[in-house]
Amino acid sequence: MVSQVAASQKLKYAKYGRKIKPYLFISPFFILYALFGIFPLCYGMYMALTSKQGFGFGNFTAVIYDDLFWKSITNAALYSLGSVFIILPVALCAALMLSSQRLGKLRGFVSTVYFFPNVTSVIAIGIVFKLLLKTNNGTINTLLETLGLIQQPLKFLSDPNLAIPSLLILATWRYFGINSLYFLSGLQGIPQDLCEAARIDGCSAIKELLFIKIPLLRPIATFVVFTAIVGSFSLSGEIYTLVGEGGTGARNSMLFPVVYLYNMMFRDSKMNQAAAMGYVLAVILIIITSIQRYVFTEHDKPEVARR
């Protein structure tokens, strides 16, 4: 009798073990996610809702009425517009060049050259472009003066009007390569039969690009624009390298949200307000990306009712 009870208990534990084993195998992911994802999220919200006045939305109110915060948002928005309307068209043109049959065996080498800036250290890139953009004896100013295009050297890093364009010069060199490879992957996925049929019907190269290739690149374009917007609002390393400690530039012309959040938390020791700023920034990014996703999503037009 005792042996039967022991056998049934052993069978019961074996069945229980078989049920729980899959959860034990996947538990490390959920434990790490709870430890490094959910807990910081919840604790950050607790910090954001806590202030010297007690528990409430005082930190969020301070962020909303902070002029420097909105200055950083404005700078990031201008930079993101430049990324979308300058860097991405350059990347698309580079992708079209890569997809051309004329490159032949050189395509792999050119693709590697395009990708190289993306794996280069941010510090190295910042140092090089700081030398290029220097007011006195900078490479770009020296070249422009030699060509007779300017009389006085341009203050790329100290003139507030040239701050965002200077960052876009750096970003164009660094990011157009990886974005061109994204576009190239989309171009390679376009059926060649469709393009050949369009050419047989007399479609020009421009019409083929506008009415066939670009519409079919919509999914890739959505992803690339999304990464460009998020990257614009999280820009920090390049700014610290270009303008030094503080990363704000002349008259806060290079003040970006992540830079301002970092300074507020670690330099000014306003951790609660910085936590609130992080959540406000997240909400702004969600709104912007939702609008971007809506714009890039195809919407079915309602059918006109037949009379």
Side-chain angles (χ1 to χ4, degrees):
M1 186 68 181
V2 176
S3 61
Q4 291 180 354
V5 173
S8 63
Q9 287 286 76
K10 187 176 181 180
L11 183 61
K12 181 180 179 181
Y13 286 132
K15 291 181 178 179
Y16 181 74
R18 284 196 298 269
K19 290 181 180 180
I20 200 173
K21 275 182 181 179
Y23 298 99
L24 291 176
F25 280 115
I26 64 175
S27 61
F29 166 76
F30 289 101
I31 292 172
L32 292 174
Y33 180 72
L35 188 62
F36 297 104
I38 297 177
F39 174 73
L41 188 67
C42 297
Y43 188 71
M45 179 58 71
Y46 169 77
M47 290 180 60
L49 294 173
T50 305
S51 63
K52 295 180 179 179
Q53 289 74 28
F55 199 76
F57 295 95
N59 291 317
F60 289 96
T61 304
V63 170
I64 292 173
Y65 286 97
D66 187 355
D67 293 335
L68 286 179
F69 173 72
W70 293 110
K71 175 65 176 177
S72 68
I73 295 294
T74 303
N75 290 340
L78 292 174
Y79 178 84
S80 64
L81 288 175
S83 299
V84 172
F85 293 105
I86 296 176
I87 299 176
L88 298 189
V90 172
L92 179 59
C93 293
L96 291 171
M97 185 187 73
L98 282 175
S99 64
S100 174
Q101 300 296 329
R102 297 177 182 178
L103 284 179
K105 296 181 179 180
L106 291 176
R107 183 179 301 167
F109 173 75
V110 177
S111 300
T112 304
V113 173
Y114 279 4
F115 186 74
F116 180 74
N118 196 62
V119 297
T120 307
S121 169
V122 176
I123 304 301
I125 293 173
I127 292 174
V128 170
F129 274 88
K130 189 173 183 178
L131 295 174
L132 292 174
L133 298 171
K134 281 178 60 178
T135 302
N136 297 321
N137 300 322
T139 305
I140 295 179
N141 274 321
T142 301
L143 179 62
L144 293 176
E145 289 177 346
T146 302
L147 295 175
L149 298 178
I150 58 174
Q151 300 296 326
Q152 298 293 330
L154 299 175
K155 300 179 180 180
F156 289 104
L157 301 179
S158 57
D159 188 348
N161 297 322
L162 296 177
I164 301 299
S166 301
L167 286 175
L168 287 173
I169 293 173
L170 184 153
T172 301
W173 180 85
R174 188 181 183 196
Y175 294 113
F176 94 94
I178 185 64
N179 289 323
S180 66
L181 296 183
Y182 290 145
F183 283 124
L184 178 63
S185 65
L187 289 171
Q188 291 175 342
I190 296 175
Q192 292 300 316
D193 297 340
L194 185 63
C195 297
E196 290 176 1
R199 295 191 198 102
I200 293 174
D201 290 340
C203 183
S204 64
I206 299 297
K207 289 184 178 180
E208 179 184 337
L209 174 64
L210 294 177
F211 299 108
I212 297 177
K213 292 183 178 180
I214 290 181
L216 292 177
L217 285 175
R218 186 187 297 269
I220 297 295
T222 302
F223 169 76
V224 171
V225 171
F226 172 79
T227 56
I229 292 174
V230 174
S232 299
F233 281 81
S234 60
L235 195 69
S236 59
E238 295 87 344
I239 298 173
Y240 278 115
T241 309
L242 286 176
V243 299
E245 186 178 357
T248 59
R251 287 187 285 177
N252 299 312
S253 57
M254 289 193 184
L255 182 65
F256 277 64
V258 172
V259 174
Y260 188 39
L261 190 151
Y262 178 88
N263 291 340
M264 179 174 290
M265 177 170 284
F266 296 102
R267 188 185 65 183
D268 303 333
S269 299
K270 297 180 180 179
M271 295 188 179
N272 300 84
Q273 188 172 338
M277 184 186 299
Y279 284 96
V280 174
L281 179 60
V283 171
I284 292 174
L285 283 176
I286 290 172
I287 294 173
I288 293 175
T289 53
S290 298
I291 295 172
Q292 174 253 323
R293 184 177 179 182
Y294 177 81
V295 170
F296 278 83
T297 302
E298 293 183 0
H299 303 282
D300 296 331
K301 296 182 179 180
E303 296 184 359
V304 179
R306 296 183 178 179
R307 295 182 179 179

